[in-house]
């Protein structure tokens, strides 16, 4: 494959297009390169060159005219900086200096050490020079292509005409039908030709981790700091099941973050393990914080085992695995070293569910806060697992996920992960017809972040998020002076050393974790039980807070429930990731451009104007007034916000949201036993009024905040009666505000006598 054709050469020289001999020589080089099918980009000044390079990640080689800097010391420094920046963005990029032999001695070592070589414009012939450049681009492009994807593309090209399986044979089957043709045209030929549902020997095997596929996984392991990496083509939902099935057997105890994804509950059912829950903190906004540090200790875990009726008489040694969600859904990150230390001797396996956090290892601001980070002087760690949805925050197709295993610091060789045995669990959950495009995207997602590019890409997300946070901060401050309101961000209000957030330098906020720490001495986060350096807020996960709850947790006189703001933003094409009662989360991921965050700010202003003017709902939410004219016609946006807020306020929603997770319900059955009842039809579908005292057969997860309030097998007991109150409040809210129904997994909504009624499956007793 001629990969180099996709990678233009950038020439930065003021002689370009000039009529002197150097100008003519450059012109000839350009002509020769174009004859070789290499594209050329030109820039006459350093600044222009810099802009071109930064905006064109496909540049495959840079030729930089050293003479551009001969004139002043300042320009010399600029050239040094440009060479350094070019290399920082991509340390494999071939960089050549255009100069004459005479000048070489003046080139400082700092530049010398960065360049690939020199090009003597006046001494060598243009076709010789063009040949050398083309070779460099070819070499660069060839090495840039990651192992699996490269072979996949080559294979698809080679077998263009001799196609065999799968059934659609490179898309040709679709061409035989009208609707099939629409599909073919929409997805394009390459998508279909590279869709190989059979194992092609050239591409290696996912099940055996062999060939270029194995090579790709090993490359990812190296990039993510793991000892073994497994590509998973069915999301982190499956990655979690693979890990649990590979490590846990029936009856084993597993420490499970209560703030866990559904797939963790499914894993517990499949393995028939017995969960011992670790309970995270919440604040008055309903934002979920970390599990307090002291929960990761022998004493606390022993107590939890002793207090749990299902594990009475069991020992710490029965704990085989521990799972922690990192980052949390609200972007709270753990110091993983402190978690590891706390759990020393408590479990053989420690699993961080990093579904939203695959980028951590590529930017130093996240150092010490992800599963595979190598903490200083580590010995005798549990086996570390990370499950990451590559598709969520790196660039890969949906369902692209990875399992990373790190066991280099496990002292007992018998405790290390035997790849062949662990692979049994991997195969149990892997289709024999995996999607090769997903695998290709995992390979590419990895290479995108290697050679220094990841730091730049993630750095860009962080700086975009910081810019947005600062902007919002200053707007709010400005308006507050006039006693006017605006949204705020949930973030440290003062930088370290008591500097105001708005006055802290961007560069510091973008690069230093200390500015984002959840300092126990500061109140902005609203969490108890933190210790120094333990938790940090991820700057790219931006929680925007609307008025409604006072900092002490009481409900303010007026407020704007976030569901309303979210609906408003959605009509503007701005879709929040997650909505809490008075806050919502926006992700500043790699796809976010400056324009996109600008339009978010514009949409927030638009909301404020519409709210302040109490615009008629007919204008703001035409679909809503069309669907429910009796309920909403004649109301304004502010009227609706007021009514919703008063609904929450009268019931003291903020307090209930915080309290609902305080006492975990008593477990009566394991999740697996409760699930058995579901399959055997030994369950009753009950309205909330009849749930008291019964055992939940399913997991109930209200969104917001998206963390289970009841797990299968747990009893709706008196101590946790607030759970039923909470669900009743949601039920009432849904009835009172049609069109703004909350989402509750595990709840069946039925109409009884014309009223919306929540129902939950309980185990028949
Ligand atoms: C999304 C998510 C998963 C599941 O990942 P998929 O790739 O969607 O299957 C697992 N754990 C957590 C914490 C998640 O947020």
């Amino acid at each position: 494959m001629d990969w180099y054709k996709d990678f233009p050469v950038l020439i930065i020289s003021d002689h370009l297009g000039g009529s002197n001999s150097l100008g003519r020589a450059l012109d000839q080089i350009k002509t020769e390169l174009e004859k070789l099918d290499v594209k050329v980009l030109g820039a006459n000044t350093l600044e222009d060159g810099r802009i071109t390079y930064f905006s064109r990640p496909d540049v495959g080689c840079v030729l930089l005219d050293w003479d551009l800097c001969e004139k002043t010391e300042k320009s010399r420094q600029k050239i040094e900086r440009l060479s350094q920046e070019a290399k920082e963005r991509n340390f494999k990029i071939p960089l050549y200096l255009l100069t004459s032999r005479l000048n070489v001695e003046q080139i400082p070592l700092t530049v010398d050490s960065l360049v690939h070589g020199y090009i003597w414009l006046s001494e060598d012939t243009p076709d010789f020079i063009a040949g050398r450049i083309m070779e460099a681009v070819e070499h660069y492009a060839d090495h840039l292509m990651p192992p699996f994807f490269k072979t996949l593309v080559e294979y698809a090209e080679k077998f263009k005409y001799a196609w065999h399986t799968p059934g659609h044979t490179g898309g040709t089957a679709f061409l035989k039908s009208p609707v099939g043709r629409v599909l073919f045209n929409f997805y394009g030929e390459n998508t279909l030709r590279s869709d190989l549902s059979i194992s092609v020997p050239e591409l290696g095997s996912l099940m055996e981790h062999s060939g270029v596929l194995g090579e790709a996984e090993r490359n990812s392991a190296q990039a993510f700091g793991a000892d073994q990496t497994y590509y998973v083509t069915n999301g982190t939902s499956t990655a979690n099941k693979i890990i649990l099935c590979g490590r846990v057997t029936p009856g084993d105890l597993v420490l499970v973050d209560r703030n866990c994804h559904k797939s963790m509950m499914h894993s517990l059912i499949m393995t028939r393990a017995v969960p011992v829950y670790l309970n995270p903190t919440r604040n008055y906004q309903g934002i979920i914080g970390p599990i307090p540090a002291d929960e990761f200790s022998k004493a606390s875990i022993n107590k939890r085992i002793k207090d749990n009726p299902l594990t009475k008489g069991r020992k710490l040694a029965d704990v085989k695995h521990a799972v922690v969600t990192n980052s949390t859904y609200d972007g709270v990150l753990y110091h993983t070293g402190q978690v590891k230390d706390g759990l020393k001797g408590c479990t053989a396996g420690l699993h961080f569910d990093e579904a939203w956090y695959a980028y951590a290892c590529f930017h130093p601001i996240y150092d010490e806060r992800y599963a595979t980070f190598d903490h200083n002087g580590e010995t005798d760690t549990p086996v570390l697992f990370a499950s990451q949805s590559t598709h969520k925050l790196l660039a890969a197709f949906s369902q692209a996920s990875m399992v990373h295993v790190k066991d280099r610091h496990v002292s007992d060789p018998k405790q290390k992960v035997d790849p062949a045995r662990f692979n049994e669990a991997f195969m149990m959950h892997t289709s024999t017809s995996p999607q090769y495009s997903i695998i290709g995207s995992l390979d590419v997602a990895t290479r995108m972040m290697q050679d220094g590019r990841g730091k730049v890409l993630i750095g860009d997300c962080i700086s975009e998020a910081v810019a947005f946070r600062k902007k919002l901060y200053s707007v709010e401050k400005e308006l507050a002076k006039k006693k006017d309101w605006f949204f705020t961000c949930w973030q440290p209000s003062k930088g370290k050393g008591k500097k105001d957030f708005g006055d802290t330098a961007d560069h510091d906020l973008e690069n230093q974790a200390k500015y984002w720490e959840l300092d126990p001495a500061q109140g902005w986060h609203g969490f108890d039980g933190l210790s120094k350096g333990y938790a940090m807020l991820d700057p790219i996960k931006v929680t925007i807070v609307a008025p409604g709850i006072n900092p002490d947790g009481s409900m303010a006189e007026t407020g704007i429930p976030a569901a309303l703001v979210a609906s408003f933003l959605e009509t503007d094409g701005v879709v929040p990731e997650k909505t809490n009662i008075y806050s919502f989360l926006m992700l500043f991921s790699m796809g976010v451009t400056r324009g996109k965050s600008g339009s978010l700010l514009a949409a927030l202003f638009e909301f404020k104007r519409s709210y302040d003017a109490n615009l008629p709902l007919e204008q703001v939410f035409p679909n809503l007034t069309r669907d429910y004219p009796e309920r909403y016609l004649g109301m304004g946006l502010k009227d609706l916000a007021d009514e919703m807020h008063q609904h929450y306020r009268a019931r003291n929603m903020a307090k209930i949201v915080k309290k609902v997770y305080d006492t975990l319900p008593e477990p009566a059955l394991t999740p697996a036993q409760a699930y058995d009842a579901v399959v055997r039809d030994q369950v009753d579908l009950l309205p909330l009024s009849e749930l008291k005292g019964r055992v939940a057969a399913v997991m109930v997860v209200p969104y917001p905040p998206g963390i289970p309030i009841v797990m299968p097998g747990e009893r709706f007991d008196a101590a946790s009666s607030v759970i039923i109150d909470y669900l009743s409040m949601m039920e009432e809210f849904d009835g009172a505000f049609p069109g703004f129904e909350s989402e509750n997994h595990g709840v069946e909504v039925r109409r009884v006598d014309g009223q919306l009624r929540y129902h939950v499956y309980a185990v028949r007793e």
Side-chain angles (χ1 to χ4, degrees):
M1 285 287 294
D2 300 331
W3 304 108
Y4 66 90
K5 289 183 185 166
D6 289 328
F7 298 93
V9 170
L10 171 61
I11 303 178
I12 309 173
S13 169
D14 58 352
H15 292 302
L16 271 178
S19 55
N20 59 8
S21 63
L22 295 178
R24 281 192 300 275
L26 282 177
D27 254 0
Q28 284 170 346
I29 293 171
K30 185 166 180 268
T31 310
E32 290 300 323
L33 281 170
E34 283 166 353
K35 272 194 216 154
L36 296 167
D37 270 335
V38 178
K39 291 186 206 76
V40 177
L41 304 169
N44 273 305
T45 63
L46 276 181
E47 194 43 35
D48 189 24
R50 185 172 179 273
I51 292 170
T52 310
Y53 180 73
F54 278 32
S55 64
R56 292 288 301 254
D58 56 341
V59 165
C61 179
V62 180
L63 310 186
L64 185 52
D65 191 343
W66 177 250
D67 294 347
L68 275 174
C69 83
E70 274 189 327
K71 291 141 209 161
T72 63
E73 176 60 24
K74 206 163 154 207
S75 69
R76 198 180 139 125
Q77 283 168 1
K78 269 196 187 158
I79 228 171
E80 278 187 57
R81 227 188 60 222
L82 178 59
S83 332
Q84 271 157 6
E85 282 178 339
K87 282 290 187 182
E88 264 166 31
R89 300 214 135 216
N90 180 357
F91 61 72
K92 293 269 172 73
I93 187 89
L95 178 63
Y96 287 92
L97 283 191
L98 300 170
T99 182
S100 68
R101 280 184 206 274
L102 283 178
N103 281 341
V104 167
E105 281 153 31
Q106 303 163 6
I107 298 170
L109 193 64
T110 44
V111 175
D112 251 346
S113 62
L114 295 171
V115 297
H116 221 72
Y118 303 93
I119 286 173
W120 326 116
L121 264 194
S122 45
E123 285 132 85
D124 287 325
T125 63
D127 62 337
F128 172 81
I129 294 174
R132 248 183 95 196
I133 295 169
M134 145 112 177
E135 245 174 53
V137 180
E138 218 173 1
H139 183 83
Y140 166 75
D142 201 52
H143 282 76
L144 186 69
M145 298 309 293
F148 178 83
F149 181 66
K150 182 179 175 182
T151 316
L152 179 69
V153 175
E154 284 169 350
Y155 186 84
E157 283 294 316
K158 193 156 93 199
F159 289 89
K160 211 163 180 164
Y161 303 108
W163 209 254
H164 25 93
T165 56
H168 64 68
T169 31
T172 50
F174 291 112
L175 296 174
K176 297 185 174 169
S177 122
V179 64
R181 264 182 190 261
V182 175
L183 182 145
F184 185 95
N185 292 337
F186 179 73
Y187 285 115
E189 198 181 339
N190 283 335
T191 309
L192 294 160
R193 274 202 287 113
S194 56
D195 177 28
L196 309 163
S197 71
I198 51 138
S199 194
V200 177
E202 282 92 330
L203 292 170
S205 151
L206 181 62
M207 298 283 188
E208 289 166 13
H209 314 284
S210 58
V212 283
L213 218 157
E215 215 180 295
E217 286 181 320
R218 286 191 293 280
N219 178 52
S220 294
Q222 195 265 332
F224 287 85
D227 293 323
Q228 299 169 34
T229 289
Y230 296 81
Y231 282 179
V232 179
T233 56
N234 189 33
T236 300
S237 305
T238 290
N240 284 338
K241 289 169 198 160
I242 291 171
I243 298 174
L244 270 276
C245 287
R247 301 291 292 180
V248 173
T249 60
D252 287 346
L253 306 193
V254 178
L255 302 174
V256 183
D257 190 339
R258 191 74 180 185
N259 183 12
C260 67
H261 185 254
K262 298 190 197 31
S263 58
M264 200 51 67
M265 189 267 292
H266 297 143
S267 307
L268 293 171
I269 291 173
M270 288 168 132
T271 54
R272 306 193 78 82
V274 186
V276 175
Y277 294 107
L278 305 168
N279 203 7
T281 47
R282 285 94 21 217
N283 69 9
Y284 49 86
Q285 285 286 355
I287 296 173
I288 313 294
I291 299 164
D294 59 13
E295 293 226 4
F296 298 114
S297 68
K298 277 189 183 149
S300 162
I301 295 165
N302 270 323
K303 181 164 173 356
R304 286 217 180 262
I305 295 174
K306 204 166 118 244
D307 291 351
N308 182 334
L310 299 181
T311 56
K312 244 190 205 120
R314 305 289 300 272
K315 298 182 303 293
L316 191 65
D318 298 331
V319 174
K320 299 296 183 224
H321 196 73
V323 190
V324 176
T325 307
N326 186 45
S327 80
T328 68
Y329 293 93
D330 300 282
V332 174
L333 313 173
Y334 288 89
H335 189 290
T336 49
Q338 291 188 23
V339 176
K340 277 187 258 181
D341 285 347
L343 287 178
K344 212 166 224 173
C346 296
T347 176
L350 173 56
H351 171 178
F352 289 98
D353 183 339
E354 296 184 338
W356 289 96
Y357 195 38
Y359 51 87
C361 64
F362 300 107
H363 197 283
I365 200 168
Y366 302 112
D367 278 2
E368 311 205 77
R369 296 187 184 273
Y370 54 90
T372 54
F373 185 82
D374 232 13
H375 293 90
N376 257 344
E378 270 186 317
T379 54
D380 200 18
T381 62
V383 177
L384 296 163
F385 295 91
S387 45
Q388 298 177 341
S389 295
T390 318
H391 67 95
K392 278 184 180 162
L393 280 151
L394 294 179
F397 289 133
S398 286
Q399 300 192 8
S401 176
M402 295 188 203
V403 168
H404 302 298
V405 179
K406 185 173 173 189
D407 58 4
R408 72 188 70 156
H409 301 304
V410 174
S411 350
D412 178 0
K414 285 221 273 312
Q415 294 288 331
K416 295 198 186 228
V417 175
D418 169 9
R421 277 168 46 230
F422 188 72
N423 201 44
E424 290 296 317
F426 177 83
M427 291 193 292
M428 190 186 301
H429 294 281
T430 302
S431 165
T432 46
S433 317
Q435 240 295 349
Y436 277 38
S437 314
I438 296 178
I439 302 172
S441 78
L442 281 164
D443 192 22
V444 170
T446 304
R447 184 51 54 90
M448 276 177 73
M449 307 307 279
Q450 291 184 296
D451 302 335
R453 286 179 296 267
K455 183 173 172 217
V456 173
L457 289 170
I458 300 306
D460 286 350
C461 301
I462 298 174
S463 67
E464 187 63 22
V466 165
F468 176 81
R469 285 171 182 277
K470 275 201 152 173
K471 184 80 197 158
L472 202 68
Y473 184 83
S474 68
V475 169
E476 196 269 338
K477 227 172 146 182
E478 206 47 39
L479 287 169
K481 274 190 211 150
K482 300 184 206 151
K483 301 258 176 286
D484 201 355
W485 74 276
F486 202 56
F487 299 93
T488 55
C489 284
W490 181 66
Q491 65 192 11
S493 46
K494 292 195 188 300
K496 267 276 170 16
K498 302 291 177 232
K499 217 191 231 172
D500 188 85
F501 181 83
D503 300 332
T504 312
D506 288 3
H507 183 267
D508 290 343
L509 291 169
E510 286 163 11
N511 290 288
Q512 295 192 41
K514 68 174 184 184
Y515 292 103
W516 302 97
E517 263 174 31
L518 271 56
D519 187 339
Q522 287 188 358
W524 64 269
H525 46 75
F527 298 131
D528 307 323
L530 298 177
S531 51
K532 193 107 193 72
Y534 177 63
M536 153 187 172
L537 173 64
D538 187 342
I540 73 163
K541 308 214 168 125
V542 179
T543 295
I544 300 174
V545 181
I549 301 182
N550 298 321
D552 65 357
S554 63
M555 307 280 298
E557 238 155 71
T558 57
I560 306 172
L564 203 55
V565 187
S567 298
F568 185 93
L569 294 180
E570 277 163 29
T571 60
D572 245 354
V574 178
V575 184
E577 177 57 41
K578 175 178 109 105
T579 309
N580 256 323
I581 40 173
Y582 288 90
S583 64
F584 51 96
L585 176 74
M586 308 299 294
L587 292 175
F588 279 67
S589 58
M590 290 199 314
V592 172
T593 55
R594 263 185 205 273
K596 216 163 151 185
S597 76
S599 60
L600 168 57
L601 196 68
L604 293 175
F605 268 116
E606 176 77 22
F607 180 90
K608 177 178 165 52
R609 276 193 299 272
S610 310
Y611 170 87
D612 289 345
N614 195 22
L615 280 193
L617 287 181
E618 214 175 339
Q619 219 172 312
V620 183
F621 298 128
N623 292 348
L624 189 70
T625 48
R626 193 197 54 216
D627 293 349
Y628 308 99
E630 277 121 70
R631 176 68 180 87
Y632 297 116
L633 259 187
M635 282 180 85
L637 183 59
K638 184 166 186 315
D639 300 332
L640 181 56
D642 286 346
E643 206 183 296
M644 278 185 177
H645 179 69
Q646 293 313 328
H647 186 96
Y648 282 151
R649 190 165 181 250
R651 292 159 184 81
N652 207 349
M653 183 68 163
K655 196 150 275 160
I656 292 197
V657 170
K658 192 163 172 357
K659 237 177 79 184
V660 70
Y661 297 101
D662 276 351
T663 326
L664 296 181
E666 184 186 282
L669 301 169
T670 64
Q673 288 166 332
Y675 181 71
D676 292 343
V678 173
V679 176
R680 293 174 185 149
D681 193 16
Q682 291 163 352
V683 289
D684 301 313
L685 187 61
L686 301 177
L688 299 181
S689 56
E690 293 171 34
L691 274 181
K692 204 164 182 181
R694 298 293 295 264
V695 173
V698 294
M699 174 164 94
V700 179
V701 192
Y703 288 80
I707 120 168
I709 49 177
V710 153
M711 291 293 273
E714 287 179 342
R715 194 180 294 283
F716 291 94
D717 54 2
S720 50
S721 62
V722 63
I723 291 175
I724 297 177
D725 296 346
Y726 184 56
L727 288 172
S728 308
M729 259 177 39
M730 292 225 174
E731 183 187 64
E732 255 184 291
F733 185 90
D734 290 2
F737 300 98
F740 295 94
E741 289 85 358
S742 34
E743 192 185 332
N744 294 289
H745 295 179
V747 169
E748 300 288 317
V749 183
R750 301 278 150 93
R751 267 193 190 279
V752 179
D753 304 329
Q755 301 283 336
L756 280 188
R757 287 285 170 249
Y758 283 8
H759 289 68
V760 175
Y761 276 107
V763 176
R764 192 170 299 148
E765 292 180 53

